[in-house]
Protein backbone atom coordinates (compact mmCIF):
# COMPACT_ATOMS: atom_id res chain seq x y z
CA UNK A 1 0.00 0.00 0.00
CA UNK A 2 2.76 2.39 1.09
CA UNK A 3 4.76 1.37 -2.00
CA UNK A 4 1.96 2.15 -4.45
CA UNK A 5 1.38 5.57 -2.82
CA UNK A 6 5.07 6.31 -3.19
CA UNK A 7 4.90 5.23 -6.84
CA UNK A 8 1.91 7.46 -7.48
CA UNK A 9 3.67 10.36 -5.86
CA UNK A 10 6.81 9.86 -7.93
CA UNK A 11 4.68 9.52 -11.06
CA UNK A 12 2.99 12.89 -10.35
CA UNK A 13 6.37 14.47 -9.66
CA UNK A 14 7.75 13.12 -12.94
CA UNK A 15 4.76 14.47 -14.85
CA UNK A 16 5.20 17.85 -13.20
CA UNK A 17 8.90 17.97 -14.08
CA UNK A 18 8.18 16.90 -17.67
CA UNK A 19 5.44 19.53 -18.03
CA UNK A 20 7.86 22.16 -16.71
CA UNK A 21 10.52 21.16 -19.24
CA UNK A 22 8.03 21.10 -22.14
CA UNK A 23 6.50 24.45 -21.14
CA UNK A 24 9.99 25.97 -20.84
CA UNK A 25 10.88 24.89 -24.39
CA UNK A 26 7.53 26.16 -25.72
CA UNK A 27 8.15 29.48 -23.97
CA UNK A 28 11.66 29.75 -25.50
CA UNK A 29 10.16 29.01 -28.92
CA UNK A 30 7.46 31.67 -28.50
CA UNK A 31 10.03 34.25 -27.37
CA UNK A 32 12.15 33.38 -30.44
CA UNK A 33 9.14 33.88 -32.72
CA UNK A 34 8.38 37.22 -31.04
CA UNK A 35 11.97 38.47 -31.39
CA UNK A 36 12.82 37.24 -34.87
CA UNK A 37 9.61 36.57 -36.79
CA UNK A 38 7.20 39.35 -35.70
CA UNK A 39 9.69 42.10 -36.74
CA UNK A 40 9.38 40.86 -40.32
CA UNK A 41 5.98 42.63 -40.27
CA UNK A 42 6.07 45.05 -37.33
CA UNK A 43 9.24 47.04 -36.60
CA UNK A 44 9.95 49.70 -34.02
CA UNK A 45 10.11 53.14 -35.64
CA UNK A 46 13.71 54.01 -34.77
CA UNK A 47 13.31 57.60 -36.00
CA UNK A 48 11.34 58.42 -32.87
CA UNK A 49 14.65 58.38 -30.93
CA UNK A 50 16.18 61.41 -32.66
CA UNK A 51 18.07 62.64 -35.69
CA UNK A 52 21.65 61.39 -35.22
CA UNK A 53 23.19 57.99 -34.61
CA UNK A 54 26.74 57.60 -33.26
CA UNK A 55 28.70 54.45 -34.15
CA UNK A 56 32.11 53.55 -32.72
CA UNK A 57 34.38 51.35 -34.85
CA UNK A 58 32.31 52.44 -37.83
CA UNK A 59 34.65 51.80 -40.75
CA UNK A 60 34.60 48.00 -41.04
CA UNK A 61 32.56 44.94 -40.26
CA UNK A 62 29.60 45.17 -37.93
CA UNK A 63 30.11 48.87 -37.09
CA UNK A 64 30.13 49.91 -40.74
CA UNK A 65 27.00 47.82 -41.32
CA UNK A 66 25.23 49.59 -38.41
CA UNK A 67 26.30 53.00 -39.77
CA UNK A 68 25.00 52.21 -43.27
CA UNK A 69 21.76 50.58 -42.13
CA UNK A 70 20.95 53.43 -39.72
CA UNK A 71 21.57 55.93 -42.52
CA UNK A 72 19.23 53.91 -44.75
CA UNK A 73 16.64 54.12 -41.96
CA UNK A 74 16.86 57.91 -41.97
CA UNK A 75 19.60 58.83 -39.49
CA UNK A 76 22.52 61.21 -39.91
CA UNK A 77 25.55 59.35 -38.63
CA UNK A 78 28.64 60.19 -36.56
CA UNK A 79 31.42 57.79 -37.56
CA UNK A 80 34.19 57.16 -35.03
CA UNK A 81 37.33 55.09 -35.74
CA UNK A 82 41.12 55.31 -35.97
CA UNK A 83 41.81 55.62 -39.70
CA UNK A 84 40.92 58.89 -41.48
CA UNK A 85 40.92 57.47 -45.03
CA UNK A 86 38.52 54.71 -44.02
CA UNK A 87 36.29 57.21 -42.20
CA UNK A 88 36.11 59.41 -45.29
CA UNK A 89 35.39 56.43 -47.53
CA UNK A 90 32.46 55.28 -45.38
CA UNK A 91 31.15 58.87 -45.11
CA UNK A 92 31.19 59.13 -48.93
CA UNK A 93 29.47 55.78 -49.27
CA UNK A 94 26.70 56.86 -46.89
CA UNK A 95 26.32 60.20 -48.68
CA UNK A 96 26.03 58.53 -52.09
CA UNK A 97 23.74 55.70 -51.01
CA UNK A 98 21.41 57.55 -48.64
CA UNK A 99 22.01 61.34 -48.92
CA UNK A 100 22.24 61.47 -45.11
CA UNK A 101 24.71 63.75 -43.33
CA UNK A 102 27.80 62.33 -41.63
CA UNK A 103 30.32 63.63 -39.13
CA UNK A 104 33.74 62.08 -38.63
CA UNK A 105 35.69 61.74 -35.39
CA UNK A 106 39.16 60.21 -35.55
CA UNK A 107 39.98 58.54 -32.26
CA UNK A 108 42.00 55.57 -31.06
CA UNK A 109 39.98 53.89 -28.31
CA UNK A 110 42.99 52.01 -26.95
CA UNK A 111 43.80 55.36 -25.31
CA UNK A 112 42.68 56.15 -21.74
CA UNK A 113 40.28 58.79 -20.32
CA UNK A 114 42.27 61.61 -21.98
CA UNK A 115 40.73 60.89 -25.41
CA UNK A 116 37.13 61.62 -24.39
CA UNK A 117 37.02 65.44 -24.09
CA UNK A 118 37.62 65.62 -27.88
CA UNK A 119 34.71 63.23 -28.53
CA UNK A 120 32.47 65.06 -26.06
CA UNK A 121 33.17 68.40 -27.75
CA UNK A 122 32.44 67.02 -31.22
CA UNK A 123 29.10 65.54 -30.10
CA UNK A 124 27.99 68.55 -28.04
CA UNK A 125 25.28 70.09 -30.19
CA UNK A 126 23.86 67.00 -31.88
CA UNK A 127 20.40 65.54 -31.31
CA UNK A 128 21.68 61.99 -30.68
CA UNK A 129 18.96 59.34 -30.66
CA UNK A 130 21.09 56.20 -31.02
CA UNK A 131 24.54 55.22 -29.76
CA UNK A 132 26.12 52.00 -31.01
CA UNK A 133 29.06 50.95 -28.82
CA UNK A 134 30.57 48.61 -31.36
CA UNK A 135 34.33 49.13 -31.21
CA UNK A 136 36.21 46.13 -29.89
CA UNK A 137 39.47 44.25 -30.23
CA UNK A 138 40.62 40.72 -29.53
CA UNK A 139 44.19 39.28 -29.48
CA UNK A 140 46.72 39.40 -32.29
CA UNK A 141 47.38 35.82 -31.26
CA UNK A 142 44.96 34.03 -28.95
CA UNK A 143 46.19 31.65 -26.28
CA UNK A 144 46.34 31.02 -22.55
CA UNK A 145 46.39 34.23 -20.52
CA UNK A 146 50.15 34.32 -19.74
CA UNK A 147 51.00 33.44 -23.34
CA UNK A 148 49.36 36.56 -24.80
CA UNK A 149 52.07 38.40 -26.76
CA UNK A 150 52.90 41.79 -25.19
CA UNK A 151 50.59 41.02 -22.31
CA UNK A 152 51.01 44.33 -20.43
CA UNK A 153 50.13 46.44 -23.45
CA UNK A 154 47.32 44.11 -24.52
CA UNK A 155 45.68 44.20 -21.08
CA UNK A 156 45.58 48.00 -21.10
CA UNK A 157 44.53 48.37 -24.71
CA UNK A 158 41.80 45.75 -24.57
CA UNK A 159 40.31 47.11 -21.36
CA UNK A 160 40.34 50.64 -22.78
CA UNK A 161 38.95 49.68 -26.17
CA UNK A 162 36.30 47.14 -25.13
CA UNK A 163 35.23 48.39 -21.70
CA UNK A 164 36.27 51.99 -21.07
CA UNK A 165 35.03 53.18 -24.47
CA UNK A 166 31.51 51.87 -23.83
CA UNK A 167 31.28 53.37 -20.36
CA UNK A 168 32.64 56.78 -21.39
CA UNK A 169 30.60 57.00 -24.60
CA UNK A 170 27.51 56.20 -22.55
CA UNK A 171 28.43 58.85 -19.97
CA UNK A 172 28.76 61.41 -22.77
CA UNK A 173 25.55 60.61 -24.65
CA UNK A 174 23.10 59.45 -21.96
CA UNK A 175 22.43 62.77 -20.11
CA UNK A 176 20.77 64.37 -23.16
CA UNK A 177 18.78 61.21 -23.83
CA UNK A 178 17.48 61.30 -20.26
CA UNK A 179 16.58 64.99 -20.67
CA UNK A 180 14.63 64.22 -23.85
CA UNK A 181 13.12 61.05 -22.31
CA UNK A 182 14.11 58.88 -25.28
CA UNK A 183 17.16 57.11 -26.62
CA UNK A 184 18.60 53.80 -27.73
CA UNK A 185 22.02 52.45 -26.79
CA UNK A 186 23.21 49.28 -28.53
CA UNK A 187 26.24 47.51 -27.05
CA UNK A 188 28.11 44.86 -29.04
CA UNK A 189 28.92 42.17 -26.53
CA UNK A 190 29.52 38.63 -27.83
CA UNK A 191 28.46 35.01 -27.51
CA UNK A 192 32.00 34.66 -26.07
CA UNK A 193 30.60 36.53 -23.06
CA UNK A 194 27.80 34.06 -22.38
CA UNK A 195 29.91 31.19 -21.06
CA UNK A 196 33.61 30.84 -20.26
CA UNK A 197 35.78 30.62 -23.39
CA UNK A 198 39.30 29.28 -22.84
CA UNK A 199 42.05 30.80 -25.01
CA UNK A 200 40.19 34.13 -25.32
CA UNK A 201 39.60 34.58 -21.58
CA UNK A 202 40.20 38.32 -21.33
CA UNK A 203 38.25 39.12 -24.50
CA UNK A 204 35.31 37.04 -23.24
CA UNK A 205 35.46 38.73 -19.85
CA UNK A 206 35.28 42.22 -21.39
CA UNK A 207 32.17 41.07 -23.26
CA UNK A 208 30.57 39.83 -20.02
CA UNK A 209 31.16 43.31 -18.61
CA UNK A 210 29.42 44.85 -21.63
CA UNK A 211 26.48 42.49 -21.30
CA UNK A 212 26.01 43.04 -17.54
CA UNK A 213 26.45 46.79 -17.80
CA UNK A 214 23.85 46.91 -20.58
CA UNK A 215 21.30 44.83 -18.69
CA UNK A 216 21.65 46.80 -15.47
CA UNK A 217 21.58 50.14 -17.30
CA UNK A 218 18.47 49.07 -19.19
CA UNK A 219 16.70 48.54 -15.85
CA UNK A 220 18.06 51.77 -14.34
CA UNK A 221 16.98 54.01 -17.25
CA UNK A 222 13.93 52.17 -18.64
CA UNK A 223 11.59 54.56 -16.85
CA UNK A 224 13.35 57.47 -18.62
CA UNK A 225 12.38 56.06 -22.02
CA UNK A 226 15.87 54.69 -22.72
CA UNK A 227 16.46 51.23 -24.18
CA UNK A 228 19.88 49.64 -23.69
CA UNK A 229 20.24 46.60 -25.88
CA UNK A 230 22.97 43.99 -25.45
CA UNK A 231 23.82 42.17 -28.70
CA UNK A 232 25.73 38.87 -28.43
CA UNK A 233 26.70 37.65 -31.91
CA UNK A 234 28.18 34.28 -32.72
CA UNK A 235 30.33 34.29 -35.85
CA UNK A 236 30.00 37.24 -38.26
CA UNK A 237 32.29 37.44 -41.27
CA UNK A 238 34.57 40.46 -40.65
CA UNK A 239 38.27 41.33 -40.47
CA UNK A 240 38.25 40.34 -36.80
CA UNK A 241 37.23 36.79 -37.69
CA UNK A 242 39.42 36.70 -40.85
CA UNK A 243 36.42 37.01 -43.17
CA UNK A 244 35.21 33.39 -43.34
CA UNK A 245 32.66 32.59 -46.06
CA UNK A 246 29.09 33.32 -44.97
CA UNK A 247 26.83 30.30 -44.56
CA UNK A 248 23.91 29.13 -42.44
CA UNK A 249 25.98 29.66 -39.24
CA UNK A 250 28.23 32.57 -40.22
CA UNK A 251 26.43 35.82 -41.13
CA UNK A 252 27.61 38.70 -43.28
CA UNK A 253 27.74 41.90 -41.24
CA UNK A 254 25.01 43.51 -43.40
CA UNK A 255 22.57 40.63 -42.90
CA UNK A 256 23.39 40.36 -39.23
CA UNK A 257 22.85 44.06 -38.53
CA UNK A 258 19.61 44.26 -40.50
CA UNK A 259 18.16 41.44 -38.40
CA UNK A 260 19.64 42.75 -35.14
CA UNK A 261 18.17 46.24 -35.64
CA UNK A 262 14.76 44.69 -36.28
CA UNK A 263 14.81 43.20 -32.76
CA UNK A 264 14.93 46.65 -31.11
CA UNK A 265 11.78 47.16 -29.06
CA UNK A 266 11.23 43.39 -28.87
CA UNK A 267 14.16 42.44 -26.65
CA UNK A 268 16.96 44.18 -24.74
CA UNK A 269 19.26 41.12 -24.95
CA UNK A 270 19.68 39.26 -28.22
CA UNK A 271 22.01 37.00 -30.18
CA UNK A 272 21.09 39.33 -33.02
CA UNK A 273 19.70 37.04 -35.69
CA UNK A 274 17.65 33.87 -35.95
CA UNK A 275 20.61 31.67 -36.90
CA UNK A 276 22.68 32.81 -33.90
CA UNK A 277 19.73 32.46 -31.52
CA UNK A 278 19.22 28.87 -32.70
CA UNK A 279 22.95 28.18 -32.25
CA UNK A 280 22.79 29.55 -28.70
CA UNK A 281 19.70 27.46 -27.95
CA UNK A 282 21.29 24.24 -29.20
CA UNK A 283 24.56 24.91 -27.35
CA UNK A 284 22.63 25.55 -24.15
CA UNK A 285 20.58 22.39 -24.58
CA UNK A 286 23.49 20.07 -25.44
CA UNK A 287 26.27 21.71 -23.43
CA UNK A 288 24.93 23.56 -20.40
CA UNK A 289 27.61 25.28 -18.32
CA UNK A 290 27.68 22.49 -15.70
CA UNK A 291 28.67 20.00 -18.41
CA UNK A 292 31.10 22.49 -19.98
CA UNK A 293 32.83 22.86 -16.62
CA UNK A 294 33.45 19.13 -16.21
CA UNK A 295 37.13 18.17 -16.48
CA UNK A 296 36.78 16.20 -19.71
CA UNK A 297 34.80 18.98 -21.42
CA UNK A 298 37.29 21.62 -20.26
CA UNK A 299 40.07 19.54 -21.78
CA UNK A 300 38.24 18.92 -25.08
CA UNK A 301 37.04 22.56 -25.17
CA UNK A 302 40.57 23.86 -24.58
CA UNK A 303 41.96 21.70 -27.40
CA UNK A 304 39.12 22.70 -29.75
CA UNK A 305 39.59 26.42 -29.02
CA UNK A 306 43.38 26.14 -29.55
CA UNK A 307 42.73 24.50 -32.89
CA UNK A 308 40.08 27.08 -33.85
CA UNK A 309 42.24 30.08 -33.01
CA UNK A 310 45.19 28.51 -34.85
CA UNK A 311 43.02 28.06 -37.94
CA UNK A 312 41.37 31.48 -37.72
CA UNK A 313 44.20 33.41 -36.04
CA UNK A 314 41.64 35.59 -34.25
CA UNK A 315 42.68 39.28 -34.44
N1 LIG B 1 32.80 39.48 -35.96
C1 LIG B 1 32.29 38.66 -35.06
O1 LIG B 1 32.10 37.45 -35.31
C2 LIG B 1 31.92 39.16 -33.71
C3 LIG B 1 31.28 38.28 -32.83
C4 LIG B 1 30.92 38.73 -31.58
C5 LIG B 1 31.14 40.04 -31.22
N2 LIG B 1 31.77 40.90 -32.08
C6 LIG B 1 32.00 42.26 -31.63
O2 LIG B 1 31.50 43.16 -32.60
C7 LIG B 1 32.28 44.35 -32.62
C8 LIG B 1 32.74 44.63 -34.05
O3 LIG B 1 33.51 43.54 -34.50
P1 LIG B 1 33.96 43.39 -36.01
O4 LIG B 1 34.13 41.93 -36.22
O5 LIG B 1 33.04 44.15 -36.89
O6 LIG B 1 35.41 44.07 -35.98
P2 LIG B 1 36.32 44.59 -37.20
O7 LIG B 1 35.85 44.05 -38.49
O8 LIG B 1 37.71 44.31 -36.77
O9 LIG B 1 36.07 46.17 -37.19
C9 LIG B 1 36.50 46.93 -36.12
C10 LIG B 1 36.17 48.38 -36.35
O10 LIG B 1 36.62 49.11 -35.21
C11 LIG B 1 37.61 50.06 -35.59
N3 LIG B 1 38.63 50.02 -34.55
C12 LIG B 1 39.38 48.96 -34.19
N4 LIG B 1 40.21 49.29 -33.19
C13 LIG B 1 39.96 50.59 -32.92
C14 LIG B 1 40.48 51.51 -31.99
N5 LIG B 1 41.48 51.17 -31.16
N6 LIG B 1 40.02 52.76 -31.96
C15 LIG B 1 39.05 53.14 -32.83
N7 LIG B 1 38.50 52.32 -33.72
C16 LIG B 1 38.95 51.06 -33.77
C17 LIG B 1 38.12 49.59 -36.94
O11 LIG B 1 38.54 50.68 -37.76
P3 LIG B 1 40.03 51.28 -37.78
O12 LIG B 1 40.92 50.09 -37.86
O13 LIG B 1 40.09 52.18 -38.91
O14 LIG B 1 40.14 52.01 -36.50
C18 LIG B 1 36.87 48.98 -37.53
O15 LIG B 1 36.05 50.00 -38.05
C19 LIG B 1 33.43 44.11 -31.65
O16 LIG B 1 33.13 44.70 -30.42
C20 LIG B 1 33.47 42.60 -31.51
O17 LIG B 1 34.00 42.21 -30.26
C21 LIG B 1 32.16 40.48 -33.31
Amino acid sequence: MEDSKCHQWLHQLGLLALSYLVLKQVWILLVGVKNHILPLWWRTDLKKYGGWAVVTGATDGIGKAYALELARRGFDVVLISRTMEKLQKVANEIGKQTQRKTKIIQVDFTGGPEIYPKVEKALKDLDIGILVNNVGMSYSEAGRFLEIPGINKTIEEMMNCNVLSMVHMTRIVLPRMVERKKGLIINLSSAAGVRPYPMVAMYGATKVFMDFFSRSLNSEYGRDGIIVQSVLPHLVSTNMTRNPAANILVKTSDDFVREALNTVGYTHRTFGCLSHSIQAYILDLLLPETVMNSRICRFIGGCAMSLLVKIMKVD
Side-chain angles (χ1 to χ4, degrees), residues 8 12 15 25 51 73 89 111 131 138 242 246 248 251 253 274:
Q8 258 183 6
Q12 304 278 352
L15 274 180
Q25 301 314 311
R73 296 192 190 195
K89 199 165 158 242
L131 165 65
S138 189
R242 305 267 158 179
I248 193 167
K251 301 292 283 189
S253 31
L274 184 61

Side-chain angles (χ1 to χ4, degrees), residues 40-314:
L40 295 176
W41 291 281
W42 297 287
R43 282 179 209 158
T44 306
D45 174 21
L46 298 177
K47 276 300 288 170
K48 70 181 178 192
Y49 291 114
W52 282 85
V54 177
V55 184
T56 66
T59 46
D60 272 320
I62 297 174
K64 180 180 172 188
Y66 265 107
L68 271 162
E69 185 61 24
L70 286 167
R72 280 185 208 111
R73 296 192 190 195
F75 285 86
D76 298 325
V77 188
V78 181
L79 307 164
I80 315 183
S81 275
R82 272 178 309 196
T83 320
M84 186 47 88
E85 303 83 71
K86 277 159 68 179
L87 283 163
Q88 280 163 345
K89 199 165 158 242
V90 176
N92 286 340
E93 213 173 316
I94 288 178
K96 271 196 197 123
Q97 273 191 33
T98 68
Q99 285 77 51
R100 301 308 314 183
K101 281 189 274 187
T102 49
K103 187 172 174 137
I104 281 172
I105 308 176
Q106 186 183 20
V107 155
D108 184 345
F109 283 111
T110 57
E114 71 283 353
I115 64 173
Y116 294 94
K118 169 182 168 181
V119 179
E120 200 161 359
K121 197 166 158 216
L123 297 180
K124 204 163 77 83
D125 297 318
L126 301 180
D127 162 38
I128 298 166
I130 300 182
L131 165 65
V132 185
N133 283 309
N134 162 79
V135 73
M137 59 178 281
S138 189
Y139 312 96
S140 56
E141 190 117 351
R144 296 202 306 159
F145 180 63
L146 293 178
E147 291 153 13
I148 296 169
I151 185 164
N152 270 344
K153 191 161 169 269
T154 308
I155 289 174
E156 188 178 333
E157 290 188 351
M158 195 179 290
M159 292 298 164
N160 284 348
C161 187
N162 295 12
V163 175
L164 201 70
S165 72
M166 173 189 64
V167 183
H168 270 296
M169 289 303 298
T170 304
R171 172 190 63 76
I172 291 169
V173 167
L174 187 59
R176 296 267 299 285
M177 289 181 168
V178 172
E179 251 171 53
R180 290 184 296 118
K181 293 261 170 223
K182 55 185 178 179
L184 167 64
I185 299 177
I186 297 173
N187 292 330
L188 264 295
S189 174
S190 167
V194 173
R195 56 179 68 215
Y197 268 84
M199 313 306 279
V200 288
M202 197 165 52
Y203 172 76
T206 64
K207 295 296 165 180
V208 176
F209 182 98
M210 294 188 80
D211 184 42
F212 261 65
F213 181 72
S214 310
R215 289 155 71 187
S216 305
L217 209 69
N218 187 63
S219 298
E220 284 179 18
Y221 287 92
R223 63 166 183 237
D224 294 300
I226 316 288
I227 291 180
V228 184
Q229 189 187 53
S230 176
V231 182
L232 308 111
H234 280 259
L235 210 51
V236 180
S237 177
T238 66
N239 293 340
M240 185 185 268
T241 52
R242 305 267 158 179
N243 302 300
N247 56 40
I248 193 167
L249 302 176
V250 182
K251 301 292 283 189
T252 65
S253 31
D254 286 344
D255 287 346
F256 176 80
V257 164
R258 212 172 305 118
E259 277 194 58
L261 266 179
N262 289 347
T263 68
V264 170
Y266 284 92
T267 173
H268 64 271
R269 188 167 187 254
T270 175
F271 290 96
C273 62
L274 184 61
S275 156
H276 289 189
S277 289
I278 293 173
Q279 288 174 54
Y281 173 76
I282 292 173
L283 266 177
D284 227 30
L285 207 63
L286 300 184
L287 288 174
E289 214 183 304
T290 37
V291 177
M292 286 280 284
N293 279 341
S294 66
R295 259 168 198 247
I296 181 75
C297 269
R298 281 208 308 255
F299 176 73
I300 296 171
C303 295
M305 279 306 283
S306 302
L307 197 66
L308 191 69
V309 293
K310 285 229 158 62
I311 293 167
M312 292 182 36
K313 282 260 181 170
V314 182

